[in-house]
Amino acid sequence: MKKLVGPILSLSLLLPVVAPVTVQADSTQQVPESARGSIKSVQFIGMEAPSTVEERTQAYSKAQVEVTYSNGMKKSIPLSYNTLYKSTDEIGGMNPGLAIDVNGKPIMDTSVPGKTTPFISDDPDSNDLLQVKGAPATGKGGNPLYLVTHYEYITKDASGGSAYGIVPASMSLTTVDQNKKTGELSPVKVKKIDFSGVDGLWIPCNGSQSPWNTHLGSEEYEPDARAYEADPTKTYVGPFTKSYFGTNKPGNPYHYGFLPEVTVKPDGSTKVAKHYSMGRISRELVKVMPDERTTYMGDDGSSTMMFMYIADKAKDLSAGTLYAAKWIQTSDKDGGAANLNWIKLGHATDAEVKEYADKLKFSDLFETADKDTPGFTKIKTYPSGKDEWLKVKPGMEKAAAFLESRRYGAIMGATSEFNKMEGVTLNAKDKKLYIAMSYLSGAMQADDKAPTDDIKLPKINAGVTFEVSLTNKQKDSKGKKIDSDYVASSMNGLIVGEDMSAPDAVGNTAVVDKIANPDNLSFSEKTRTLFIGEDSGMHVNNFMWAYNVDTKKLSRILSLPAGAESTGLQAVDNMNGFMYVMSNAQHPGDLEEMKTIPADLKAQLAAKIDSKAGVVGYISGIPAIK
C-alpha cells in the first residue's frame, strides 16, 4: 500500500486525482439544478484531526464533498453530523437504551442502596434504517421510516461497577420521520424489540440489512460452554439468566451465539427468529451476497475463524451448509495475503440445532484429554484461548459442528488463528468482500508452539482491512463443488494501520492520519466508497474514514468524542432521494484504559463528555446518486 501523507486527503469516484485538493469554488452558483445534469462523481475532502479540547469532546464533521455534474460543473457541500437521539433520551415515553426483562419490564439497578434506577445502555451499536411498504404516516408530514438499533451492553452500574455482560442487551425500533424536502431525520417514537421467544438477546454487536429488507443482528462473545459446565460462575450466563428471566435456575450457554433476524412489519410490530443453522460463534455480523444465499461472518475475539454459510433457499436462512476457511499464506507483506480453502462442517436446519441446544452439554459432544493423546486433536480457539485436546463423541458430529463451530472446525483442520475479526461488507460490482481485522497480533503472528501455525504475519497493533476476492466454480477441501458463485478464494491487506514507536503529545500510539483498529465497515455502491469506523484505544479520538476503491484515496470524515467507539455504520445510498451514513458514538468518555493520555488532558476531557449516554446519529450532506 502507498504511504498516505497529510491530514487532508481526497477521494474521487471517476476522475484520477494527482494531489490532495481543498475545494472552495462553487461553479453552480446562479445555475438552476435542472441545468447541471446528473451527478458524474463525488469526491470526499477530508478533515484534519481534532486539536482542541472542545473538538475532542464532540462528534463532528468538517469534511466536504465535491460533486461533479455531467455538464462539468462542480459544487462543494459541507458534511455535518446530526444527533438523532441519545440513548438516555425519552422519546414517546421510552428510553431507547432501556434494558428490559423477559416480560418487557425495565431491569433495575440496585447497586446504590436507596437509589434504584433502570439500567440504560450507553452503548448503541448497529443501525439499520428501513423503509417498509405500507407503514403509516408519522404525523409530522414526512416519509415514515424505521430504525433498528442494537444496545450492545451497559458499561457500568450506578455505583461505578462493571455491568458488562451481566445486564441483558436489547434492540430498539424507532419510528423516524424523514423530511421530504431536506431529508432531515427525526425520531417519533421508540419501542423495545421482544426477544422473549428466543431466550433473550446476548451481546448484540454489529448488524446488516438483508437483501429482502430484514435486519440481521448478532450475538457476540458466545459463552464458553465447557467453562460453564465445569463452573457456572465462570461465565456471564448465570447473571444474564437471573436478570432476564428473574430466576436462579441454571442458564444454557448453547442458547447464545447465533444470528437473530428481525422482520419489521408495516404497523411497526416485529417478528424475531434466531438462525441456529448458521453456527454458534462470536458473531460480529453477517453479510449476505447478491445470490441471497451465501453469507460471510465476522468472528470477533482471539484465535477465531472465518465462516461461510450457504442457505438452501434464497431469502431463507433457516437451513443451509456451514463452511470454515483454511488460510494458505502467500505473503507477509502489506498486511499479508493468502489463498483460502473451505472445509465443509455440515448441513443443518434451525430446528435441528435448536433441539441440540435445548438438551445437550459440552460433555455430551466431546471427550477431553489434558495432553497429547492418540485419537485426540490438539486445538486452540476462542473462547477458551487455551490448548485443548478434544475428540468428538460418536454420532455427535452435527451437534458439535453447529453448537461448537470453532472447536469442531479446528478439529477438521480449519484455521483458528484470526484476531479481532470485525466488520464485513460487500462491493457487489467488483465481487469483493472487505473484512476488518482490528488487531494484527496474537495468533496471527508466527508461533511454532501453537497447535497450528497457518498465519505468520508481522505484528500491526493498528490493524488491517482486507480485500477478499469472490469467485465461482470453487471446490471444498474434499474436492466437492461449492454451490455458490460468491466463494472467497483469496484475501490480501488493503488498508494497513501504522503503529508509533512512542505516544505523541496527546497520547496517540498509532499514526493519526491513518486508520487504527478498523471495526465497522459499510460499502456504498453508488459512490464506490468503503466507509470504515474505528474501535481504537490507539487514537485518542476514534474516526470514520471514506476510502475510494478506485482511486485508493482515504479521507477522514468524522471525529467522535474521546473514548467513544465509532459504531452503527450503515451507508444508505438512496432513501427517497437522500443519502445517509448512519453512525453512533458508543461509550463516549470511556478513558480508563487509555493510559497514554496526559493526566491533565484526560481530566479536561472527562469533565466535558457525557459518559452516561451513547449517541445515535448520521452524516448528511452527501447527495444521492440515482
Side-chain angles (χ1 to χ4, degrees):
M1 176 182 174
K2 294 182 179 178
K3 186 176 181 181
L4 303 174
V5 295
I8 302 180
L9 300 163
S10 60
L11 174 106
S12 171
L13 172 62
L14 298 176
L15 304 178
V17 176
V18 297
V21 295
T22 301
V23 177
Q24 300 295 338
D26 185 353
S27 63
T28 66
Q29 293 180 6
Q30 310 302 319
V31 179
E33 187 168 351
S34 59
R36 301 173 196 167
S38 60
I39 296 174
K40 182 178 180 181
S41 66
V42 172
Q43 176 174 292
F44 286 81
I45 310 299
M47 56 186 265
E48 295 185 359
S51 59
T52 67
V53 170
E54 189 66 25
E55 287 179 336
R56 293 189 185 281
T57 62
Q58 304 296 317
Y60 73 96
S61 178
K62 291 184 179 179
Q64 302 176 65
V65 288
E66 182 193 52
V67 182
T68 301
Y69 294 89
S70 57
N71 66 357
M73 291 184 175
K74 299 179 183 291
K75 181 178 178 65
S76 300
I77 303 173
L79 302 183
S80 62
Y81 182 74
N82 309 271
T83 296
L84 193 60
Y85 58 78
K86 291 186 176 182
S87 59
T88 53
D89 287 348
E90 188 172 296
I91 303 171
M94 173 64 71
N95 297 114
L98 182 71
I100 60 172
D101 65 16
V102 68
N103 298 309
K105 302 297 184 182
I107 299 174
M108 306 306 289
D109 181 354
T110 59
S111 62
V112 177
K115 194 177 180 180
T116 299
T117 57
F119 276 110
I120 299 177
S121 176
D122 59 326
D123 295 281
D125 204 297
S126 173
N127 287 318
D128 196 354
L129 189 65
L130 300 166
Q131 185 162 28
V132 180
K133 186 176 180 181
T138 65
K140 289 192 172 185
N143 298 309
L145 305 176
Y146 291 115
L147 178 69
V148 178
T149 302
H150 292 187
Y151 297 90
E152 186 176 1
Y153 56 92
I154 294 170
T155 303
K156 295 181 179 180
D157 61 26
S159 71
S162 175
Y164 181 91
I166 297 171
V167 182
S170 67
M171 292 187 198
S172 68
L173 180 69
T174 305
T175 300
V176 175
D177 181 85
Q178 180 194 39
N179 188 288
K180 294 180 179 180
K181 292 183 178 180
T182 66
E184 180 183 359
L185 303 178
S186 57
V188 177
K189 59 182 178 180
V190 174
K191 60 177 283 187
K192 303 302 294 190
I193 297 174
D194 180 12
F195 282 84
S196 62
V198 291
D199 303 301
L201 178 65
W202 182 274
I203 309 181
C205 195
N206 205 350
S208 66
Q209 185 174 328
S210 73
W212 50 94
N213 207 40
T214 60
H215 173 71
L216 302 176
S218 57
E219 289 188 312
E220 191 179 49
Y221 302 135
E222 87 281 9
D224 187 344
R226 181 178 186 178
Y228 180 78
E229 185 176 348
D231 182 355
T233 68
K234 294 300 183 182
T235 74
Y236 295 125
V237 173
F240 176 98
T241 301
K242 184 175 181 180
S243 294
Y244 188 68
F245 294 102
T247 176
N248 290 317
K249 292 181 179 180
N252 185 345
Y254 284 145
H255 283 165
Y256 309 106
F258 298 102
L259 172 77
E261 180 175 15
V262 179
T263 301
V264 181
K265 300 178 183 179
D267 64 359
S269 61
T270 56
K271 182 179 72 173
V272 176
K274 274 189 186 178
H275 292 305
Y276 303 93
S277 64
M278 297 186 76
R280 181 173 170 271
I281 65 174
S282 178
R283 187 171 280 104
E284 174 80 11
L285 84 167
V286 305
K287 185 64 178 177
V288 182
M289 300 298 100
D291 63 357
E292 301 182 334
R293 295 175 56 241
T294 307
T295 69
Y296 291 92
M297 324 176 199
D299 187 17
D300 198 356
S302 57
S303 299
T304 59
M305 197 167 281
M306 184 181 297
F307 292 94
M308 173 179 66
Y309 176 84
I310 303 176
D312 292 350
K313 300 176 182 179
K315 304 180 182 181
D316 182 356
L317 302 177
S318 66
T321 303
L322 185 64
Y323 296 84
K326 179 78 170 178
W327 168 283
I328 304 170
Q329 189 159 309
T330 57
S331 173
D332 64 359
K333 307 300 182 185
D334 301 319
N339 293 322
L340 299 174
N341 192 0
W342 291 96
I343 297 170
K344 181 180 176 180
L345 302 186
H347 175 277
T349 66
D350 285 351
E352 287 178 302
V353 181
K354 180 61 163 67
E355 185 177 355
Y356 293 143
D358 287 344
K359 67 182 182 181
L360 298 178
K361 306 184 300 295
F362 175 87
S363 59
D364 295 323
L365 306 179
F366 297 102
E367 294 181 47
T368 64
D370 57 7
K371 60 182 179 181
D372 290 338
T373 305
F376 289 77
T377 303
K378 183 181 179 181
I379 67 167
K380 183 178 180 179
T381 71
Y382 184 85
S384 163
K386 303 174 183 178
D387 289 348
E388 297 180 295
W389 290 264
L390 302 178
K391 180 167 67 173
V392 181
K393 290 186 174 180
M396 288 295 170
E397 291 80 6
K398 180 179 284 191
F402 291 90
L403 295 181
E404 294 284 354
S405 303
R406 206 179 300 102
R407 281 176 164 129
Y408 183 77
I411 291 173
M412 296 292 288
T415 299
S416 59
E417 299 165 33
F418 295 97
N419 188 46
K420 297 296 292 178
M421 185 189 299
E422 305 272 3
V424 179
T425 194
L426 171 70
N427 169 354
K429 179 181 178 181
D430 298 336
K431 292 189 74 170
K432 299 290 186 183
L433 202 67
Y434 303 107
I435 298 178
M437 217 68 65
S438 196
Y439 292 81
L440 211 66
S441 58
M444 297 189 77
Q445 297 175 260
D447 182 2
D448 58 10
K449 296 181 180 179
T452 60
D453 197 21
D454 296 336
I455 306 178
K456 303 177 182 181
L457 297 176
K459 185 176 184 178
I460 305 174
N461 280 326
V464 175
T465 300
F466 284 87
E467 180 181 72
V468 182
S469 295
L470 303 173
T471 57
N472 59 4
K473 299 180 180 179
Q474 295 295 298
K475 296 181 179 180
D476 67 18
S477 60
K478 293 186 177 180
K480 294 185 178 180
K481 181 183 176 181
I482 300 176
D483 184 22
S484 171
D485 291 334
Y486 294 90
V487 179
S489 58
S490 63
M491 60 190 294
N492 60 272
L494 179 68
I495 307 171
V496 182
E498 184 177 343
D499 303 343
M500 296 166 58
S501 58
D504 65 15
V506 297
N508 293 304
T509 57
V511 173
V512 75
D513 290 325
K514 292 186 178 182
I515 296 173
N517 310 122
D519 188 323
N520 279 205
L521 301 179
S522 189
F523 187 75
S524 164
E525 295 284 347
K526 294 291 187 179
T527 65
R528 301 281 292 164
T529 302
L530 175 63
F531 295 99
I532 306 169
E534 294 181 338
D535 176 11
S536 180
M538 302 182 74
H539 283 166
V540 176
N541 293 83
N542 278 208
F543 307 121
M544 185 198 293
W545 303 82
Y547 176 82
N548 184 283
V549 297
D550 297 320
T551 65
K552 315 302 180 188
K553 297 297 182 179
L554 183 70
S555 300
R556 177 174 29 237
I557 63 171
L558 178 67
S559 179
L560 282 303
E565 177 184 342
S566 175
T567 61
L569 176 55
Q570 181 197 16
V572 183
D573 271 341
N574 192 333
M575 184 71 77
N576 299 315
F578 298 95
M579 181 173 179
Y580 304 96
V581 180
M582 306 301 298
S583 180
N584 300 338
Q586 186 183 84
H587 53 70
D590 186 6
L591 304 173
E592 291 182 4
E593 296 182 6
M594 302 181 75
K595 307 298 186 184
T596 58
I597 303 177
D600 59 340
L601 175 59
K602 183 180 287 189
Q604 292 178 68
L605 296 174
K608 288 180 173 289
I609 298 173
D610 180 4
S611 61
K612 295 182 179 180
V615 177
V616 174
Y618 61 97
I619 296 174
S620 63
I622 310 169
I625 301 176
K626 297 178 180 180

